[in-house]
C-alpha cells in the first residue's frame, strides 16, 4: 500500500514508536494522520502544528472512547495498532492483574479498535487500498521468561492478526504483522539489552507496508531471529528461553 496520499491512524501515538510512526507517515506524504493518544495533551506541539494532523483522544481499553474516536475519524484507510503495555513477571509468579492488563490492551484493545474502524477500512478497500498493521513483537512467537504475560498477550494478538487476515481478505483490506525485537523506548527503560532506534523501526515498518509485506521484521535482530523462527520454531524458543 502507498503511504503517500493515505489517511492513517496510529494508536498510542504520543510517545515511543507511535510518535516515530507519525513523523515517518508525515515524511512520506500521508494526506491525513490521526494521532490517537489516551491524553491528547501529551501530543508534541510540533506534531500538532502540521495541518495534516488530527489529534484524537483514544483509550483502546474503553469501548466508549473507541466508539467516539471512530465516529470522529471515518476516512481511515491505514490503521496502525501500536498502543501497548508491558507488565514484567514470569509464568509461575507474575501478577495476574498485570497479565490481564496486557491482554486487555495488547490483544482485546487492538481487536476492539480494528472492529470499530472496519467500515472505514472497507471503504478504503473499495477505493483500492486499505490496511491494518498490528505492532506485535518477536517474542509473540516464542516467550522470554520475565515477560510471560506480555508475550502471551502479543501471541493472542498475533493469532488475531492471522484470523483477521483471512476474515477480510475478500474486502480489499491487507492485514500486516510487524514483529520488532527490542526497541529503545520507555517500555524497555532499565532493561539491559540490544535495542533498535525507534525511528529506524518506524521507517522499516512503513517500508514493509509499501513493499506489500504481510510479515515485517523491522530491525536487524528480529530479521535474524525471524529467519530462524521460519525454519525452526523450536530453535527460536530454545534461544529465547536461554
Ligand atoms: N519497546 C520495545 O522493545 C518493543 C518491542 C517490540 C514491540 N513493541 C511494541 O511497540 C508498541 C509501542 O511500544 P513502545 O515501545 O513505543 O512503548 P511506550 O514508549 O511505552 O509507548 C506505549 C504507548 O502506548 C500507549 N498506550 C498504553 N496503553 C494504552 C491504552 N489503553 N490506550 C491507548 N494508548 C495506550 C501509551 O500511552 P500513554 O503515554 O498514555 O501511556 C504510549 O503512547 C507496543 O505495542 C509494544 O508492545 C515494543
Amino acid at each position: 500500500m502507498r503511504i503517500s496520499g493515505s489517511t492513517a491512524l496510529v494508536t498510542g501515538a504520543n510517545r515511543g514508536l507511535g510518535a516515530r510512526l507519525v513523523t515517518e507517515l508525515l515524511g512520506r506524504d500521508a494526506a491525513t494522520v490521526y494521532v490517537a493518544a489516551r491524553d491528547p495533551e501529551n501530543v508534541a506541539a510540533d506534531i500538532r502544528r502540521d495541518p495534516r494532523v488530527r489529534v484524537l483522544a483514544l483509550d483502546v481499553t474503553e469501548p466508549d472512547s473507541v466508539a467516539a474516536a471512530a465516529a470522529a475519524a471515518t476516512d481511515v484507510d491505514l490503521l496502525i495498532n501500536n498502543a501497548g503495555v508491558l507488565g514484567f513477571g514470569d509464568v509461575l509468579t507474575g501478577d495476574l492483574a498485570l497479565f490481564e492488563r496486557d491482554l486487555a490492551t495488547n490483544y482485546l484493545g487492538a481487536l476492539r479498535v480494528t472492529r470499530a474502524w472496519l467500515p472505514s477500512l472497507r471503504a478504503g478497500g473499495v477505493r483500492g487500498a486499505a490496511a491494518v498493521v498490528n505492532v506485535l513483537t518477536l517474542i509473540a512467537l516464542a516467550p522470554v521468561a520475565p515477560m510471560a504475560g506480555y508475550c502471551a498477550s502479543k501471541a493472542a494478538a498475533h493469532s488475531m492478526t492471522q484470523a483477521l487476515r483471512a476474515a477480510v481478505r475478500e474486502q480489499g483490506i491487507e492485514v500486516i504483522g510487524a514483529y520488532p525485537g527490542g526497541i529503545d523506548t520507555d517500555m524497555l527503560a532499565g532493561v539491559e539489552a540490544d535495542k533498535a532506534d525507534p525511528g529506524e523501526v518506524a521507517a522499516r515498518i512503513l517500508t514493509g507496508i509499501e513493499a506489500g509485506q504481510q510479515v515485517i521484521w523491522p530491525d536487524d535482530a528480529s530479521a535474524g531471529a525471524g529467519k530462524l523462527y521460519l525454519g525452526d520454531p523450536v530453535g527460536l524458543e530454545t534461544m529465547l528461553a536461554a
Side-chain angles (χ1 to χ4, degrees), residues 41-64:
E41 294 295 314
N42 291 337
V43 176
D46 59 324
I47 292 294
R48 292 170 174 282
R49 273 196 291 274
D50 191 302
R52 296 168 293 164
V53 164
R54 314 257 185 282
V55 177
L56 275 184
L58 177 63
D59 184 328
V60 303
T61 64
E62 295 292 338
D64 290 348

Side-chain angles (χ1 to χ4, degrees), residues 2 15 32 92 100 162-163 165 167 171 187 199 217:
R2 269 183 37 212
R15 61 187 171 101
T32 303
L92 297 180
E100 284 184 358
Q162 294 172 311
R165 188 174 290 137
Q171 300 172 22
M187 186 171 272
W217 310 104

Side-chain angles (χ1 to χ4, degrees), residues 11-19 36-39 42 58-62 81-86 105-106 135-139 150 154 178-188 195:
T11 66
N14 53 293
R15 61 187 171 101
L17 179 62
R38 279 200 278 210
D39 183 351
N42 291 337
L58 177 63
D59 184 328
V60 303
T61 64
E62 295 292 338
N81 283 309
N82 165 78
V85 286
L86 188 170
T105 307
N106 301 340
V135 178
L136 304 166
T137 168
L138 174 67
I139 56 177
Y150 172 77
K154 288 290 191 176
Y179 299 80
I183 311 171
D184 193 5
T185 65
D186 296 344
M187 186 171 272
L188 277 198
K195 299 177 201 173

Side-chain angles (χ1 to χ4, degrees), residues 17-31:
L17 179 62
R20 304 309 175 91
L21 285 165
V22 168
T23 305
E24 196 64 32
L25 286 161
L26 293 168
R28 295 185 191 214
D29 296 328

